Amino acid sequence: MVPRAPLSKMAAGLFFICFLIYLVIITRLESGQFGTVSDPASFSSRMLMNHPTSGSGDGILLHDTISNSGVITAIDNMVNQIGTAGTELTETRVKDISNEIAKQIADYVVQKLGKTATNSNVCYGCWKHGNNTDLPVIYLVTPTYRRPEQIPDLTRLAQTLLNVPAVHWIVVEDSSSLSTVIASLLKRYGIPHTHLKAQMPEKYKKSKLKPRGVANRNAALDWVRSNCKSGVVYFADDDNTYDIRLFEEMRYTKKVSMWPVGLVTKVGLSSPVVNNKGVVIDFFDGWMANRKFPVDMAGFAVSVQLVLEKSDVYMPYVPGHEEDGFLKKLDITPTDIEPKADRCTQILVWHTQTKSNSPANRTTAAGKRYKGTNIDMLQEWIV
Ligand code: UDP
Ligand code: MN
């Protein structure tokens, strides 16, 4: 086994290398080795990253250069390349170059040490969600609970929401404590979010048919009532499949909007029945069960305004009747229902239900054989 340098030594080493790079570049700048060029754009970090620009002949691979000739020579080569392309160098540009070289060196060092580099600062959605828009915000309520499929399901939903502007994701865990894995997932995707917890009351946990996700959704309703003034609330379970067009359908909901949901019950569909005047006249669902609103949780959205007006309305703890109970208490008439998805002719959400997996048998991976290996580290991912 090759002894590994402790992390602090690695960091100190990297810092020293970056400092060297900075010194070399500054020295060369001062001694006037950089000429000037007509096209400043032709000299860029692309060169340092070895993405050749058109016909400038900067073909030396920095990785190879470093590994073959040492860090200083690599920097010399780099400086020469830049020098021949020439440009007026600004301080910012020099810093950019130093950063690029440092990144490449860091990669090489990490590769040498046989470790994987992880970049904890990446935020995948910030480019989009950082932009303020005038769109009404969709408050997307997702109940979730610990099980083998939880992280894969939330990953898929997060990546769906990356494509949705003006969304605020309220993730409510049915748990006594907030999961750090979920917290870091939420941070990583940069989707505006609120991370809450609300446990199913003990008395329901024992029953065969459970009111799944009810405590979570009700906690989210409380949050919306305390924090929101306008927008729309949508109850988006973690295991469904959402077409991103759905969110633009619901965005301007006045009171309640509805649309079809695929893969619900044996008939494969739950939908309002819409006549040729575009009015909801009935409901189609494989399990009517005497419900006034036989719709799926994924098949409707309500305006924040209505949620605020009906300040005492929550979802009932009655399995199968959560949607109906909630909608009935909102006191809506059939004409209040806004049919969406092209008069309910399109399916933009599916009740996919991720196949449930048995909890993992950890005994195989727990043996001495895997001590100190990646298999040990992977255990925290396994439920
Ligand atoms: N859920 C929960 N606690 C539970 C069971 C379910 O928070 O004990 C969540 C689950 O993550 C999902 C929603 O409640 O977002 C509905 O549950 P599920 O998908 O299992 O119900 P189904 O779609 O089968 O009605
Ligand atoms: Mn589900």
Side-chain angles (χ1 to χ4, degrees):
M1 284 279 280
V2 182
R4 284 181 186 155
L7 222 53
S8 57
K9 275 197 183 161
M10 263 177 73
L14 270 180
F15 182 78
F16 182 66
I17 290 166
C18 294
F19 182 67
L20 273 181
I21 295 163
Y22 184 73
L23 274 186
V24 169
I25 292 176
I26 290 297
T27 317
R28 299 217 159 230
L29 262 182
E30 280 171 353
S31 61
Q33 291 198 26
F34 294 109
T36 47
V37 272
S38 44
D39 177 15
S42 69
F43 143 56
S44 70
S45 60
R46 290 168 60 87
M47 289 177 170
L48 302 161
M49 298 300 281
N50 293 303
H51 298 162
T53 48
S54 52
S56 60
D58 46 312
I60 303 170
L61 287 174
L62 183 58
H63 259 298
D64 293 344
T65 322
I66 292 176
S67 52
N68 297 334
S69 336
V71 173
I72 300 296
T73 323
I75 296 164
D76 280 350
N77 285 340
M78 206 47 57
V79 169
N80 288 337
Q81 282 179 36
I82 295 160
T84 51
T87 190
E88 224 175 276
L89 279 177
T90 60
E91 200 181 320
T92 332
R93 189 50 63 81
V94 174
K95 276 185 189 154
D96 282 351
I97 297 165
S98 314
N99 284 341
E100 289 297 349
I101 297 179
K103 257 192 238 162
Q104 301 255 350
I105 294 171
D107 276 355
Y108 179 69
V109 171
V110 162
Q111 182 197 322
K112 262 279 197 217
L113 291 170
K115 292 193 170 195
T116 327
T118 52
N119 187 343
S120 53
N121 296 323
V122 173
C123 170
Y124 294 108
C126 292
W127 63 273
K128 176 171 277 181
H129 296 286
N131 295 334
N132 284 329
T133 70
D134 296 331
L135 297 172
V137 173
I138 296 168
Y139 294 93
L140 196 122
V141 176
T142 300
T144 189
Y145 71 112
R146 188 174 156 87
R147 62 195 189 283
E149 309 77 35
Q150 182 179 37
I151 298 303
D153 275 350
L154 289 173
T155 300
R156 188 173 45 171
L157 183 48
Q159 290 176 172
T160 298
L161 298 181
L162 283 182
N163 298 295
V164 184
V167 67
H168 187 105
W169 196 12
I170 308 174
V171 176
V172 195
E173 290 191 59
D174 180 347
S175 163
S176 58
S177 59
L178 295 181
S179 145
T180 52
V181 178
I182 294 174
S184 71
L185 182 149
L186 291 171
K187 191 175 165 206
R188 188 165 64 248
Y189 285 103
I191 300 159
H193 63 269
T194 298
H195 187 184
L196 306 172
K197 58 184 166 69
Q199 274 187 290
M200 183 186 296
E202 277 305 320
K203 57 180 170 181
Y204 302 116
K205 284 189 183 170
K206 291 161 208 125
S207 48
K208 196 166 165 243
L209 272 180
K210 297 182 184 65
R212 304 161 80 79
V214 171
N216 327 35
R217 295 188 198 99
N218 286 341
L221 284 170
D222 278 336
W223 186 90
V224 167
R225 288 183 175 123
S226 324
N227 294 281
C228 309
K229 293 199 163 57
S230 61
V232 56
V233 175
Y234 179 50
F235 299 106
D237 288 354
D238 57 4
D239 58 341
N240 295 331
T241 304
Y242 305 89
D243 183 316
I244 55 172
R245 291 173 294 173
L246 177 66
F247 304 106
E248 302 323 309
E249 294 290 321
M250 71 177 72
R251 196 178 291 282
Y252 293 92
T253 300
K254 291 181 200 79
K255 279 191 170 179
V256 180
S257 53
M258 292 189 182
W259 47 81
V261 182
L263 296 175
V264 178
T265 75
K266 284 192 178 135
V267 299
L269 175 68
S270 170
S271 176
V273 179
V274 179
N275 69 10
N276 59 10
K277 294 193 178 76
V279 177
V280 175
I281 52 166
D282 201 353
F283 294 93
F284 178 89
D285 193 287
W287 186 71
M288 299 300 276
N290 246 332
R291 293 181 291 171
K292 183 177 180 189
F293 299 106
V295 297
D296 186 79
M297 195 62 76
F300 68 94
V302 294
S303 67
V304 167
Q305 200 186 328
L306 187 62
V307 168
L308 294 177
E309 275 168 27
K310 308 284 177 187
S311 58
D312 56 348
V313 172
Y314 291 92
M315 211 157 268
Y317 285 93
V318 185
H321 293 264
E322 296 92 337
E323 301 90 341
D324 189 40
F326 178 72
L327 290 166
K328 277 197 296 211
K329 283 190 277 174
L330 284 179
D331 232 1
I332 46 165
T333 62
T335 50
D336 288 331
I337 301 172
E338 305 150 52
K340 300 288 186 185
D342 201 4
R343 294 188 174 196
C344 295
T345 60
Q346 308 285 309
I347 296 181
L348 300 178
V349 54
W350 289 266
H351 186 245
T352 30
Q353 294 191 297
T354 311
K355 167 190 165 281
S356 77
N357 298 267
S358 327
N361 176 353
R362 288 166 175 276
T363 49
T364 318
K368 265 195 195 138
R369 190 173 161 202
Y370 299 108
K371 227 171 178 55
T373 72
N374 60 318
I375 305 301
D376 243 3
M377 291 167 71
L378 286 169
Q379 294 312 296
E380 70 173 288
W381 291 84
I382 309 300
V383 174

